[in-house]
Amino acid sequence: FPSHDKDFCIEFPLLALNISDYQTLLSKWQSPPNSSTEFILSLYQGSLYFEVRDSNGSTYVLVFKVDATQLLQKTQITLSRQGDKFRLWFGDVLKSEFSSNVIINTSEVAQFRIGGNPYTGSAFNGYIGKLRVTRGPSRYSLTNTPPPVANY
C-alpha cells in the first residue's frame, strides 16, 4: 500500500457472484495483524461500502454507500483520494464523492488484504482482476475519468 502519502488510487475489475451477504473486498490493517483496520471496502445487502477509521482509531467514517447491483456484471472499480476528496467510479461513471480530512495511516508495515478478512471470515464471493495501487495524486478527476474497462 502506498506509504506515507495521503493521496492514492486503487483500480481493479470485479465480478460479484453475490451482493447480499457481508463480504470484504479490500482492507488495510495496522501492524500487527490483530490490530485495528484502517479501511474496509465491502459488500453488504446490495450496497458497496467504503469505511475509514477516524484519526482517533475509535470509530468508522462512512465514506461511500452505493448500490452494488452493477457489480453482478464485470465492472471496473476505481477508488481514489486526492487532498480531502474521496471518489468512487464504476467504469467511467462517478458513483460517489466525499470530502473528509480523515487520515489513513499508510505506514510501510501495513497489511493490505484482498478478497477477504481472516478475522471475520467474510471472504469475497466473486472475482477480482488485476489490482493496481498507486500513490500520490490520482490520475482521475471529474473531467479526466477512468477508462470504462481495465486498460492494463
Side-chain angles (χ1 to χ4, degrees):
F1 193 81
S3 60
H4 307 298
D5 276 314
K6 183 163 93 167
D7 298 338
F8 63 86
C9 185
I10 301 170
E11 306 168 75
F12 57 96
L14 175 134
L15 171 63
L17 300 179
N18 172 344
I19 59 172
S20 55
D21 298 332
Y22 180 79
Q23 305 167 64
T24 302
L25 300 175
L26 301 171
S27 62
K28 185 191 143 328
W29 292 77
Q30 288 180 351
S31 189
N34 59 357
S35 234
S36 65
T37 305
E38 291 288 327
F39 75 73
I40 285 184
L41 182 66
S42 60
L43 286 169
Y44 183 59
Q45 295 182 340
S47 294
L48 179 71
Y49 291 82
F50 180 61
E51 299 170 286
V52 179
R53 189 172 292 275
D54 70 7
S55 56
N56 295 329
S58 57
T59 60
Y60 282 101
V61 175
L62 176 62
V63 179
F64 304 127
K65 177 186 174 191
V66 298
D67 178 60
T69 306
Q70 181 179 344
L71 301 181
L72 291 168
Q73 300 175 6
K74 185 177 177 186
T75 305
Q76 176 71 12
I77 303 291
T78 303
L79 172 66
S80 72
R81 177 179 184 163
Q82 188 165 0
D84 69 346
K85 296 281 188 214
F86 287 91
R87 292 187 176 105
L88 175 71
W89 284 272
F90 286 2
D92 58 354
V93 177
L94 181 67
K95 296 299 271 186
S96 191
E97 181 177 60
F98 181 78
S99 293
S100 174
N101 58 6
V102 67
I103 300 298
I104 297 176
N105 176 10
T106 55
S107 69
E108 293 181 44
V109 295
Q111 296 186 5
F112 193 55
R113 300 198 184 268
I114 302 167
N117 178 337
Y119 303 105
T120 63
S122 56
F124 172 59
N125 184 7
Y127 302 93
I128 295 176
K130 298 171 187 162
L131 182 79
R132 176 186 282 182
V133 180
T134 53
R135 67 179 175 170
S138 174
R139 298 186 306 266
Y140 308 119
S141 65
L142 294 177
T143 57
N144 179 29
T145 62
V149 295
N151 60 356
Y152 50 88

